[in-house]
Amino acid sequence: MVLDGGGDTSLLLMKDDVPPVLEQNAAGRSPFLLTCDHYGRAIPLLLGDLGLPETELNRHIAWDIGVAGVASLLSRQLGAHLIAQRYSRLVIDCNRPLRSPTSIPLISEATLIPGNEGLTREAVEARQRQVFDPYHRHIAEVIDRRLRDKVPTVLVSLHSFTPVYAGIARPWHVGTLYHRDTRLPPLLLKGLRAQGDLVVGDNEPYAVSEETDYTIPVHGEARGLMNTGIEIRQDLIAAADGQREWADRLAKVFGEIELELRART
Ligand SMILES: [Zn+2]
């Protein structure tokens, strides 16, 4: 059997498992390249339910609730290429360095993950090679191609956050998420605040760091791309109408940002 596993012969993904990478609008002409690390909550068949009940697998610990709908609609509205991960962050977190202790979490919020206990080195590497690597390799290849073809490229990493974490309520509707890029996040903050009815977090509820993040440091900062992350509160986008509303909001803001960036060049 040939797997997209970089020569890895240990079995994780089988023929009835979905491919890890979901792609939409690959020929889109927008400068915005959308990524979505926590888009899906699939689990390889071999791993069963990771020892968790369905109620846990529906929670934010397994994926970014609502963001799939927003990402797909936004990709369509902007004509932007979207690259997303179908597998759950509980299988392997595609926004964590592989060296991070939470790459394959033993606990998430207060939930122990039985299926992640006592993994052999081979089991860890199978998840890395067959779920994490193909996703990040594809993002890197797409960026390579765009840079080679001199296509303007701005990396936007889409996430959602739980309204209450460890008993603490979060007041923001949406937040920008960044580290070193000082060009794009101020434009995004300005655009979101101009909508008038939003509590906008500036690097809230999270900021990006090399210890806790992968996509922005590796594909954005290390490649010298303009970049930002966005975090949307999950209760606002849990249902289809909220997903449409937020795709519309972001499409408007990014449309304005694109005009401003083009005017500067
Ligand atoms: Zn996320």
Side-chain angles (χ1 to χ4, degrees):
M1 177 188 279
V2 178
L3 293 169
D4 184 14
D8 180 27
T9 54
S10 60
L11 205 59
L12 177 63
L13 299 187
M14 298 181 291
K15 72 172 174 33
D16 291 334
D17 282 307
V18 294
V21 179
L22 178 144
E23 194 164 37
Q24 189 179 305
N25 223 345
R29 300 175 66 87
S30 166
F32 299 107
L33 173 62
L34 309 178
T35 60
C36 200
D37 305 330
H38 304 137
Y39 180 100
R41 60 182 192 98
I43 298 174
L45 296 171
L46 201 65
L47 304 183
D49 54 14
L50 292 171
L52 292 170
E54 188 65 23
T55 47
E56 290 292 329
L57 295 173
N58 284 329
R59 292 183 61 224
H60 75 93
I61 62 171
W63 62 335
D64 280 0
I65 292 168
V67 83
V70 176
S72 293
L73 290 166
L74 184 62
S75 161
R76 209 167 299 152
Q77 285 179 239
L78 291 176
H81 191 171
L82 166 68
I83 303 173
Q85 172 59 259
R86 286 193 177 94
Y87 283 96
S88 171
R89 63 197 301 171
L90 297 176
V91 175
I92 186 164
D93 191 330
C94 282
N95 193 34
R96 290 278 186 281
L98 295 176
R99 66 177 184 279
S100 165
T102 56
S103 166
I104 299 176
L106 293 168
I107 184 168
S108 183
E109 201 170 6
T111 302
L112 293 169
I113 320 298
N116 291 349
E117 281 170 27
L119 297 185
T120 62
R121 187 175 163 165
E122 288 72 26
V124 169
E125 288 179 353
R127 296 193 198 186
Q128 295 174 347
R129 289 178 186 162
Q130 295 177 33
V131 178
F132 184 98
D133 287 351
Y135 173 65
H136 287 295
R137 191 163 56 234
H138 191 63
I139 295 172
E141 286 167 355
V142 166
I143 292 172
D144 287 344
R145 190 177 68 222
R146 293 177 70 116
L147 294 180
R148 194 176 57 234
D149 295 344
K150 301 198 174 357
V151 176
T153 300
V154 176
L155 181 70
V156 177
S157 175
L158 298 165
H159 292 269
S160 67
F161 65 96
T162 185
V164 179
Y165 185 82
I168 310 285
R170 290 152 153 188
W172 312 278
H173 297 110
V174 63
T176 55
L177 176 76
Y178 59 95
H179 186 202
R180 297 198 171 90
D181 191 321
T182 54
R183 298 167 292 178
L184 184 60
L187 294 176
L188 181 57
L189 281 167
K190 189 174 88 176
L192 290 168
R193 286 177 175 148
Q195 298 211 342
D197 56 347
L198 298 177
V199 180
V200 181
D202 179 354
N203 259 348
E204 298 282 6
Y206 308 106
V208 170
S209 78
E210 269 143 37
E211 288 68 47
T212 56
D213 294 85
Y214 189 90
T215 298
I216 285 181
V218 170
H219 300 298
E221 293 179 338
R223 304 295 301 260
L225 297 180
M226 208 181 290
N227 68 80
T228 191
I230 296 181
E231 291 272 0
I232 309 167
R233 207 175 68 201
Q234 290 170 358
D235 57 307
L236 306 173
I237 56 171
D241 56 345
Q243 292 164 16
R244 275 194 300 275
E245 178 196 326
W246 276 86
D248 289 345
R249 285 181 183 274
L250 295 181
K252 179 172 186 294
V253 172
F254 280 113
E256 290 163 1
I257 290 174
E258 182 176 351
L259 289 177
E260 174 133 9
L261 293 176
R262 288 192 188 280
R264 287 182 187 180
T265 53

